């Protein structure tokens, strides 16, 4: 997720923050299975995805923009950005 200038990695536990996010754009690279399934369709999965948050139009962005987080805190789901 790119809420500002620095991307933040999301995990299986933190991906749910996207559910209520105002999104400006999404850049995604998909991977495709090598063989079609029984119905003749190919499987797709997300290899890489950047979600650009629409901070200027988010009514809560100002309220939380000064909330500090520790980039080295293993308990902070937004720590350890790329």
């Amino acid at each position: 997720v790119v809420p500002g200038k620095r991307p933040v990695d999301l995990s299986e536990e933190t991906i749910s923050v996207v559910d209520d996010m105002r999104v400006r754009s999404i850049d995604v690279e998909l991977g495709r299975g090598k063989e079609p399934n029984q119905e003749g369709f190919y499987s797709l999965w997300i290899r890489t995805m950047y979600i650009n948050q629409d901070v200027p139009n988010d009514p809560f962005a100002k309220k939380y923009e000064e909330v500090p987080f520790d980039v080295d805190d293993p308990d902070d789901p937004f720590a350890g950005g790329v």
Side-chain angles (χ1 to χ4, degrees), residues 17-70:
V17 299
V18 175
D19 292 344
D20 298 314
M21 184 181 294
R22 291 177 184 262
V23 175
R24 178 181 307 234
S25 65
I26 298 175
D27 299 321
V28 64
E29 176 186 15
L30 300 175
R32 186 184 87 167
K34 293 182 181 184
E35 300 292 327
N37 61 20
Q38 293 176 348
E39 292 84 28
F41 297 105
Y42 288 87
S43 297
L44 291 176
W45 67 90
I46 296 172
R47 284 189 181 166
T48 304
M49 180 168 59
Y50 286 86
I51 302 170
N52 297 297
Q53 190 172 358
D54 191 7
V55 175
N57 293 317
D58 188 333
F60 301 107
K62 265 289 198 227
K63 180 178 180 179
Y64 295 104
E65 75 181 358
E66 298 299 322
V67 175
F69 63 90
D70 183 351

